[in-house]
Amino acid sequence: MSEYITKVLLVEDEEDAREILSFYLDTVFDEVEIACDGEEGFKLYEKAHNENKIFDLVLTDIQMPNMDGLTMIEKITNINEDQKFIIVSAYKDEEYLFKSINLNVISYFVKPLEVKNMMVMLKKVKSKVLEDKSNVIVEDELVVLNSTYKYNRKTKQLYKNDELVDLTKKEKLLIEALAKNIKEIKTKEYLKEFIWNDANTSDATMRTVIKRVKDKIADDDFIVSKKGLGYLIERG
């Protein structure tokens, strides 16, 4: 028996399909959480993410009320760009396939479901998940940003030397967003979606949060603006 727990989020609005999929997912993966539409699915995912819990796979329908599957996938990808997805849909539509190309969609099941083929794919996915988990190189929890500041990835706390920097919730989310894939420039849209879950948040609101953080780290500022591109942490 593996020492690793595998966890899946199933998002499906059709009751019959939801029962069938949950049954077969339960036979392959250790834990399965279920949502009835994209809005509920995203809320479950976001809650798990905020609690530092992960889903190894998100399996979702496309056409759903409240929030469709592709919109949910995009919102999830904004907070975890490495999340893997499988799409299930009654609509074999090339447009949906095209839109999902850059969204870590690893397979596409078409209703009515072919159980044999579906089980083969799910078992392959689980094997890959377990392989990745066993080979993962855990990134250092404590990241040295410069000679003054350190960031703890696990607790999401910023330290000035050994003293905790007092940050608001939004300020913490800003640091967390910038610390993900730390060498990458984060666009304004990425930061707005990560911090407020709304890419339409005003630039003024975002600049206010950035300024507040920069004021708190002014003695050895590590947040750099790249004109026309976004922001990143420049490690000293």
Side-chain angles (χ1 to χ4, degrees):
M1 182 176 176
S2 170
E3 62 180 301
Y4 304 109
I5 300 298
T6 54
K7 189 171 181 177
V8 176
L9 173 61
L10 169 62
V11 187
E12 170 59 69
D13 65 313
E14 295 180 10
E15 185 176 356
D16 289 346
R18 190 165 60 243
E19 289 182 2
I20 292 170
L21 286 165
S22 63
F23 173 81
Y24 287 107
L25 286 169
D26 272 326
T27 68
V28 177
F29 296 91
D30 300 305
E31 297 181 10
V32 179
E33 287 199 29
I34 300 172
C36 296
D37 58 50
E39 184 176 13
E40 183 183 359
F42 179 71
K43 287 179 179 178
L44 280 175
Y45 190 96
E46 185 178 40
K47 180 177 184 294
H49 178 77
N50 290 338
E51 295 172 355
N52 294 318
K53 299 175 182 177
I54 64 169
F55 288 102
D56 299 296
L57 176 69
V58 176
L59 194 148
T60 181
D61 196 354
I62 291 179
Q63 296 287 342
M64 295 183 291
N66 300 320
M67 184 187 296
D68 65 85
L70 286 183
T71 299
M72 183 195 72
I73 288 174
E74 290 171 351
K75 289 174 72 69
I76 288 174
T77 302
N78 282 331
I79 61 176
N80 180 9
E81 57 194 17
D82 296 321
Q83 182 60 57
K84 297 294 187 292
F85 303 90
I86 290 179
I87 286 177
V88 181
S89 180
Y91 302 87
K92 194 173 183 180
D93 192 322
E94 291 182 359
E95 180 184 354
Y96 291 131
L97 287 170
F98 177 78
K99 288 180 178 179
S100 68
I101 285 174
N102 296 318
L103 295 174
N104 282 336
V105 175
I106 59 176
S107 189
Y108 192 98
F109 296 158
V110 179
K111 299 174 185 175
L113 298 169
E114 172 52 59
V115 173
K116 182 178 179 180
N117 293 339
M118 182 178 71
M119 289 297 290
V120 168
M121 173 56 69
L122 292 177
K123 289 176 180 178
K124 284 182 178 179
V125 170
K126 182 178 180 180
S127 294
K128 184 65 168 62
V129 165
L130 291 175
E131 180 183 348
D132 290 345
K133 284 177 178 285
S134 64
N135 293 332
V136 68
I137 299 174
V138 180
E139 197 169 19
D140 289 339
E141 289 181 3
L142 198 62
V143 182
V144 176
L145 302 179
N146 55 30
S147 59
T148 305
Y149 291 95
K150 298 175 183 177
Y151 179 70
N152 189 307
R153 294 180 191 273
K154 185 174 182 179
T155 63
K156 298 179 174 55
Q157 300 286 5
L158 180 67
Y159 293 88
K160 178 180 179 181
N161 298 319
D162 292 325
E163 183 180 345
L164 182 66
V165 179
D166 185 22
L167 299 173
T168 66
K169 181 179 179 180
K170 299 300 185 188
E171 291 167 359
K172 286 181 179 179
L173 286 170
L174 171 65
I175 298 295
E176 181 185 354
L178 293 172
K180 288 181 178 293
N181 300 313
I182 201 164
K183 295 180 181 179
E184 293 183 1
I185 297 172
K186 305 303 189 300
T187 65
K188 291 189 297 182
E189 291 72 23
Y190 175 90
L191 293 175
K192 290 175 183 178
E193 191 67 44
F194 191 95
I195 299 170
W196 290 277
N197 295 320
D198 184 1
N200 294 318
T201 300
S202 71
D203 288 355
T205 298
M206 187 184 71
R207 285 196 298 268
T208 297
V209 172
I210 293 173
K211 184 179 185 303
R212 287 205 307 259
V213 173
K214 288 174 74 67
D215 286 346
K216 292 180 179 181
I217 61 173
D219 53 342
D220 202 356
D221 192 352
F222 51 80
I223 298 177
V224 176
S225 172
K226 297 295 183 180
K227 190 173 181 179
L229 297 174
Y231 297 85
L232 83 163
I233 290 176
E234 190 166 82
R235 298 171 70 180

